[in-house]
């Protein structure tokens, strides 16, 4: 069995080195009080005076000064260059939920790869915070207190079907696939429920739904996606 470097029964906040603000960090920590950095994400933790449980990565972008202030037993060096620091961090964190910031915004290729990592590790629940939205792989089932007019987007990274209640355009009977059918810019009519057939759907929601989304995922942890083969 793989040994996870950072293990917690509480949700974990994970900071990346991309676009992120102290306000996002504060919001994440209110839900996920344990903080881990992916490489240069430690710079934001340092500016905000937030202690780190660990920093994970190949340490090629964190400043020497910041790294020197982190105890060596909290420096988790993963030197391989085949994966990103976000990928490395999710692989070596075991928690009921990870809330990530600093992984969306900035370079488009980095954002696209972040979605790829979410899907590859769908069995490790993770919500990414953007400027005005949150992004996650839709779990097998979720219920959220959306308000009428809230934009709810479902973007498939692979074939997936689903059922919905509370959406202006119900999704039952649709065969989502990246090249044929996507579900961007749907709208809530109120409280929504979603059920998805596979861990292939990126769900984009208003940022104010972060707390209820986090609570829903943690409460239904046993109903999450199973580990992927390999």
């Amino acid at each position: 069995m793989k040994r996870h470097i950072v293990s917690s029964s509480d949700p974990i906040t994970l900071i990346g080195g991309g676009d992120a603000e102290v306000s996002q960090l504060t919001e994440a920590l209110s839900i996920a009080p344990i903080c881990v950095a992916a490489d240069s994400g430690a710079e934001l933790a340092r500016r905000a005076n937030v202690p780190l449980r660990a920093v994970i990565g190949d340490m090629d972008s964190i400043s020497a000064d910041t790294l020197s202030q982190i105890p060596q037993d909290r420096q988790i060096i993963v030197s391989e260059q085949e994966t990103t620091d976000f990928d490395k961090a999710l692989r070596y964190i075991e928690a009921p939920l990870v809330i990530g910031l600093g992984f969306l915004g900035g370079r488009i290729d980095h954002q696209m790869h972040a979605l790829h990592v979410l899907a590859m590790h769908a069995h490790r629940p993770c919500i990414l915070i953007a400027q005005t939205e949150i992004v996650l792989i839709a779990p097998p089932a979720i219920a959220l207190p959306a308000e009428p007019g809230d934009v709810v987007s479902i973007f498939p990274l692979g074939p997936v079907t689903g059922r919905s209640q509370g959406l202006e355009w119900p999704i039952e009977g649709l065969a989502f696939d990246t090249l044929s059918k996507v579900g961007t810019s749907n709208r809530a009519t109120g409280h929504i429920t979603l059920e998805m057939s596979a861990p292939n759907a990126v769900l984009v929601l208003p940022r104010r739904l972060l707390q209820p989304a986090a609570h829903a995922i943690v409460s239904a942890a046993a109903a999450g996606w199973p580990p992927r083969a390999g």
Side-chain angles (χ1 to χ4, degrees):
M1 180 178 295
K2 177 180 286 187
R3 174 180 177 271
H4 296 96
I5 294 172
V6 182
S7 181
S8 171
S9 59
D10 293 319
I12 285 177
T13 291
L14 177 64
I15 313 174
D19 292 350
E21 302 171 356
V22 173
S23 61
Q24 293 174 326
L25 177 56
T26 301
E27 184 177 10
L29 289 171
S30 70
I31 302 167
I34 296 170
C35 193
V36 174
D39 207 322
S40 62
E43 306 291 350
L44 177 60
R46 180 183 178 186
R47 293 197 302 272
N49 198 31
V50 172
L52 289 172
R53 173 72 63 87
V55 56
I56 303 172
D58 53 24
M59 310 305 172
D60 66 347
S61 55
I62 187 173
S63 70
D65 187 42
T66 295
L67 190 61
S68 69
Q69 298 187 37
I70 300 171
Q72 286 195 344
D73 63 353
R74 298 189 180 193
Q75 299 177 24
I76 312 303
I77 300 174
V78 185
S79 57
E80 53 90 357
Q81 295 290 316
E82 298 298 317
T83 61
T84 64
D85 290 317
F86 180 35
D87 193 332
K88 294 179 178 72
L90 278 190
R91 279 189 281 131
Y92 292 104
I93 290 175
E94 185 178 66
L97 174 67
V98 172
I99 298 180
L101 58 145
F103 300 104
L104 298 175
R107 286 175 49 177
I108 294 295
D109 58 341
H110 286 176
Q111 296 182 73
M112 293 177 69
H113 194 271
L115 301 183
H116 166 77
V117 172
L118 284 180
M120 288 298 297
H121 299 292
H123 58 292
R124 300 188 185 286
C126 179
I127 301 175
L128 297 182
I129 300 176
Q131 192 67 32
T132 60
E133 297 162 311
I134 59 172
V135 177
L136 64 150
I137 295 297
I142 191 169
L144 294 168
E147 295 180 356
D150 280 347
V151 175
V152 177
S153 290
I154 299 170
F155 192 89
L157 298 179
V160 63
T161 59
R163 296 189 298 176
S164 66
Q165 293 182 358
L167 291 181
E168 186 168 342
W169 295 284
I171 66 172
E172 189 164 4
L174 300 180
F176 290 110
D177 192 273
T178 307
L179 297 181
S180 59
K181 186 68 175 180
V182 299
T184 55
S185 298
N186 207 329
R187 287 196 296 266
T189 58
H191 185 99
I192 64 171
T193 60
L194 293 173
E195 297 178 22
M196 306 306 295
S197 65
N200 295 337
V202 174
L203 182 60
V204 184
L205 300 164
R207 183 170 153 184
R208 64 174 182 75
L209 289 177
L210 173 61
Q211 187 164 2
H215 178 74
I217 289 174
V218 171
S219 297
W225 296 114
R228 291 176 180 267

